[in-house]
Amino acid sequence: MTFALIAAQTPENVYSIRVEVQGVGRKRLQEPADGRPTVHTVAARAGVSIASASRVLNGVGGSPETVRKVRAAAAEVGYVPNAIARSLQSQRTGLVALAVEDIGNPVYVEMMRAIEAVVAGSGRQLLVHATGGRIDNETALLRRLAHRYVDGMIISPIRVTADHLAAVTDSPVPVVVVGQLAEDAPVDNVRTDSRTGIALAVDHLVATGRRRIGFVNGPLDTVPGAARDAGFRAALARHGITLDENLVEIGDFQYAAGRAATERLLARAAPDALVCANDLIAVGALHTLLAHGRRVPTDVALVGMDDTELARMMFPQLSSVSLGSAERGRRAAELLLQRIDDPSLPPRRAQVAPNLVVRASSEVPT
Amino acid sequence: MTFALIAAQTPENVYSIRVEVQGVGRKRLQEPADGRPTVHTVAARAGVSIASASRVLNGVGGSPETVRKVRAAAAEVGYVPNAIARSLQSQRTGLVALAVEDIGNPVYVEMMRAIEAVVAGSGRQLLVHATGGRIDNETALLRRLAHRYVDGMIISPIRVTADHLAAVTDSPVPVVVVGQLAEDAPVDNVRTDSRTGIALAVDHLVATGRRRIGFVNGPLDTVPGAARDAGFRAALARHGITLDENLVEIGDFQYAAGRAATERLLARAAPDALVCANDLIAVGALHTLLAHGRRVPTDVALVGMDDTELARMMFPQLSSVSLGSAERGRRAAELLLQRIDDPSLPPRRAQVAPNLVVRASSEVPT
DNA sequence: TTGTAAGCGTTATCAT
DNA sequence: ATGATAACGCTTACAA
């Protein structure tokens, strides 16, 4: 009920003189439509203002009597605060997100655990989203989560498009990218060098007397796939070994593809060693090798990549090139938290070096 | 700047007559503290009201000219909507969460994929949180996420405390529990019957001539651990086999524990078959068996549980009791979406039957 | 200590 | 079609 007596208005400013009669009845509903109690409900029940109720609920101030009344009222009505409303006010949610292709790949599990540890240390909670490699899904996630549902985000895309990059740079909340990015991308970035990683594997195999070294890779149109291919070819060349293209196979980065690709490879060539672009592929390769009666490592040495727990689960245990996934996760989380605290930081870059872990699958036959 | 002429106040209602002078300067800042544009920024720049700006931004109404101006203004300032503010208004976020113990366990990955498929079909996005089995973490998550950051939540706890149950029933957003719950718990619940599942494994092993059947279980103070223990003992008894306690070992539900527990078991007994409480344990058991030179299945038959992709990755491939994790995930997601649409539904319960998948690890030796 | 009221950034209502 | 304004549920100056 409002009576406006005078109202003068200009485009820029608003001057008005009003006489109003407020509050015929309560100023606002105390029970919202869905029936859940709000601070208003609690305040009314306790016979105090919403300010007092809020203060008590947050443990700041309030006389003993007020505290008692508010606590009692809150308990009676089963009050639970609305985090969304709180966030709108505080401009933070205490949530951090991690987006990965495929949470079924143990390498992301390790990365996630490392991130989780850092994030939890800051009192925040980590949420994970599996994009399934669907790129639209990934940008959709950015366009939704990053629009304030979380305080920051870590993404590990295997394909990077211009759209992607735009979504990252436009993001209202800090985003850290784990993976290779253009040199000048103005984005916090944690990377490794899988090219060199593959070289470590090849060097090791050559040093232990292997010459017919095969390679099972993922798609070449992915960032890691391309890097690993280049690394493999360069390493062989460095050792003066001419690559037999029959020894190279491509699938995706999954177990089933590794198994199938190794089938194809064995059908037309006889490798004495196999380098696999990740551990899932390596496990698939191991399965095929054993199914074909090849002894590992006696007949064929096997080296995977990512050094996940899967490599240690197999029998024989798999040698694998560690790309420091836990370390990269940790660094990414640190970069993210720093940027959340100070958004004005310049874009930073962290690099984690690969290293080879030799296990039974490529041990020198004695 | 406000001049109150008269103000009469009663505890219940507020009547007041005021004369106020509003708007010396703009009524509100157009650029918030963090410098990001809001609808106000866009509206001001386009020379329209925030209402018009909002309408155009949401694609409802607006003259061609207004649409043009608002779109241009939004693009110029790089406007991105604040999802939190939108959610406060709409009372929904379009987000659904899944909380599991350990996302490193492939059984949860399968469940997650099934849930994701259903959730995506409703236009929502799925977020996963790994609680690491820390029960405080789990309730903390409920107490945060469920307080409106998500439209609903699916949790799969392995231990269920009264606290837990209270957190679930107090939750302002719908929660579906995957796992065994008290019969009368007023909570949507999807369950399986791992007791019967274990029986399927034992029946199969007995039918294929095994008599010294060992069992590697998880902790007995977990819901699944207790059920599987009971199932194992009951099944043996049904076949008239007296259980040798030397053939029973307990670890946790992880690979390393399965490996270690099997070491201990082999040190004091000679099983001709091993039932494992999940696939991670079974993979650990396989490793130990092979390392000890036992042939699988010739010397020792092996049956896991959960029927995850891990079982298919091994060589030999592992027999495993499927507890329908994907199916349970799908059902849970459906229950959740239904309840989000209609919170007044009575608590419902879905049950998924276990079934045995026989593979090489327990095939009858021929 | 307590209450009033002004936000936080949207969307929805209701006059105009 | 448009604009003013009131929510959404909370926190927090500021005043009393």
Side-chain angles (χ1 to χ4, degrees), chain A residues 59-366:
Chain A
V60 295
S63 69
E65 175 61 4
T66 305
V67 169
R68 194 193 55 69
K69 286 189 298 188
V70 172
R71 291 241 174 92
E76 285 166 27
V77 299
Y79 171 75
V80 290
N82 181 321
I84 289 283
R86 188 198 301 255
S87 291
L88 181 57
Q89 171 72 29
S90 64
Q91 299 285 38
R92 59 187 302 286
T93 63
L95 262 23
V96 167
L98 167 67
V100 298
E101 302 294 319
D102 169 25
I103 197 68
N105 186 335
V107 72
Y108 291 120
V109 174
E110 288 183 21
M111 190 173 284
M112 184 205 75
R113 290 195 177 122
I115 293 171
E116 167 107 58
V118 177
V119 163
S122 79
R124 277 173 257 253
Q125 279 173 329
L126 180 67
L127 300 175
V128 183
H129 181 84
T131 60
R134 301 179 299 279
I135 212 149
D136 54 327
N137 198 327
E138 213 163 289
T139 49
L141 187 75
L142 278 164
R143 297 219 135 64
R144 178 175 243 158
L145 279 192
H147 290 7
R148 303 296 199 194
Y149 280 135
V150 296
D151 294 340
M153 196 156 171
I154 298 174
I155 63 173
S156 182
I158 63 172
R159 291 183 178 82
V160 177
T161 65
D163 232 38
H164 240 90
L165 220 51
V168 170
T169 51
D170 289 355
S171 169
V173 303
V175 176
V176 175
V177 174
V178 176
Q180 229 68 14
L181 233 47
E183 277 308 321
D184 56 344
V187 176
D188 287 331
N189 177 222
V190 179
R191 51 177 67 193
T192 180
D193 180 0
S194 60
R195 226 183 113 107
T196 298
I198 289 284
L200 291 177
V202 171
D203 291 352
H204 160 64
L205 291 170
V206 170
T208 53
R210 313 284 177 169
R211 286 301 176 273
R212 295 194 51 76
I213 305 175
F215 183 41
V216 185
N217 197 8
L220 293 181
D221 68 341
T222 62
V223 176
R228 287 160 208 203
D229 184 70
F232 182 73
R233 289 166 191 277
L236 279 194
R238 194 157 37 69
H239 287 288
I241 299 177
T242 308
L243 174 60
D244 174 358
E245 291 293 342
N246 283 321
L247 286 170
V248 178
E249 261 297 342
I250 289 178
D252 62 27
F253 285 108
Q254 306 292 323
Y255 164 81
R259 201 167 142 179
T262 306
E263 286 284 354
R264 295 195 298 274
L265 198 154
L266 287 186
R268 59 164 196 250
D272 60 8
L274 232 38
V275 175
C276 298
N278 74 8
D279 281 353
L280 283 173
I281 293 175
V283 168
L286 176 65
H287 194 110
T288 295
L289 287 171
L290 295 176
H292 280 254
R294 302 291 212 287
R295 289 164 302 170
V296 175
T298 314
D299 300 329
V300 181
L302 191 56
V303 180
M305 180 164 252
D306 282 339
D307 189 32
T308 62
E309 55 183 345
L310 216 43
R312 295 182 291 276
M313 286 187 187
M314 295 300 115
F315 189 86
Q317 292 194 318
L318 303 184
S319 298
S320 192
V321 177
S322 167
L323 297 179
S325 45
E327 175 69 6
R328 280 182 291 153
R330 196 176 62 71
R331 301 285 285 277
E334 287 168 356
L335 288 184
L336 183 64
L337 294 183
Q338 287 165 13
R339 178 165 301 284
I340 289 174
D341 286 343
D342 179 5
S344 72
L345 290 171
R348 290 146 309 152
R349 180 151 300 170
Q351 177 106 18
V352 174
N355 75 293
L356 175 69
V357 181
V358 176
R359 298 199 183 86
S361 74
S362 72
E363 218 92 71
V364 190
T366 53

Side-chain angles (χ1 to χ4, degrees), chain B residues 46-71:
Chain B
V48 301
S49 69
I50 60 163
S52 291
S54 175
R55 279 186 291 254
V56 170
L57 263 10
N58 287 297
V60 294
S63 70
E65 175 61 4
T66 305
V67 169
R68 193 192 55 72
K69 285 189 298 185
V70 171
R71 292 243 173 92

